[in-house]
Amino acid sequence: ALINNLRRAGNVHCMKQVLEMITKCCENRNKNLNATEEQVGVDVVAFNSYLAALCESTSTFSQLKNNKASDTCNNPNRTGIDIAMNLLHPNQSYELYMVKPDAYSYNTVLDAIASGVPNKDERMEMVTTVREWMKNDPNIMSKKRMSSL
């Protein structure tokens, strides 16, 4: 609930701080586990909400960074999409938040790239990169099914 309320308020920075606090708590809890107990991390739904907020906040980040709305239109700074995409890099989300991306994670970022990156060549390069990470992620789907995409 807290993550969703922060997302509605557009407070991406606080979302990141909350996820980092949860991660620290999970790390402390996991230190005390015996070998048979399962480790815990950030919930994938909270992680996906953060990814979506990053993707939604792209134009806001650009305006804050450039402090000029007109520059954002002519030369968009896709900081939010870039951060979200980097979180999908293999093992990155697990190292930072102890969570493994799911199909919704990848689809959220792919949708943001498709709708938020105006340069076709750059867009295709980003989509290809994310699709490769998705293909190589054993948690998503079989190699056979991904090869048909």
Side-chain angles (χ1 to χ4, degrees), residues 4-95:
N4 285 332
N5 285 331
L6 290 171
R7 179 180 174 192
R8 276 188 221 109
N11 203 335
V12 179
H13 180 70
C14 282
M15 290 177 79
K16 180 181 180 191
Q17 289 178 325
V18 168
L19 292 178
E20 288 170 347
M21 285 189 284
I22 293 170
T23 302
K24 285 182 184 178
C25 291
C26 292
E27 286 172 346
N28 290 334
R29 181 198 177 276
N30 291 341
K31 286 178 188 175
N32 299 322
L33 295 178
N34 62 41
T36 60
E37 294 177 301
E38 186 176 344
Q39 291 193 347
V40 296
V42 168
D43 183 74
V44 72
V45 175
F47 177 71
N48 288 341
S49 293
Y50 177 56
L51 287 177
L54 284 168
C55 293
E56 291 166 353
S57 69
T58 294
S59 61
T60 304
F61 279 150
S62 300
Q63 290 174 8
L64 290 174
K65 187 172 183 178
N66 297 329
N67 207 12
K68 295 178 190 171
S70 61
D71 287 350
T72 303
C73 296
N74 297 331
N75 185 14
N77 178 348
R78 290 171 304 282
T79 305
I81 293 173
D82 292 336
I83 293 169
M85 184 175 163
N86 287 334
L87 287 172
L88 295 181
H89 190 275
N91 297 319
Q92 186 70 19
S93 62
Y94 195 80
E95 288 175 18

Side-chain angles (χ1 to χ4, degrees), residues 137-148:
D137 189 333
N139 299 313
I140 301 302
M141 58 179 66
S142 71
K143 303 268 187 215
K144 183 178 178 182
R145 185 162 174 216
M146 276 305 293
S147 65
S148 67

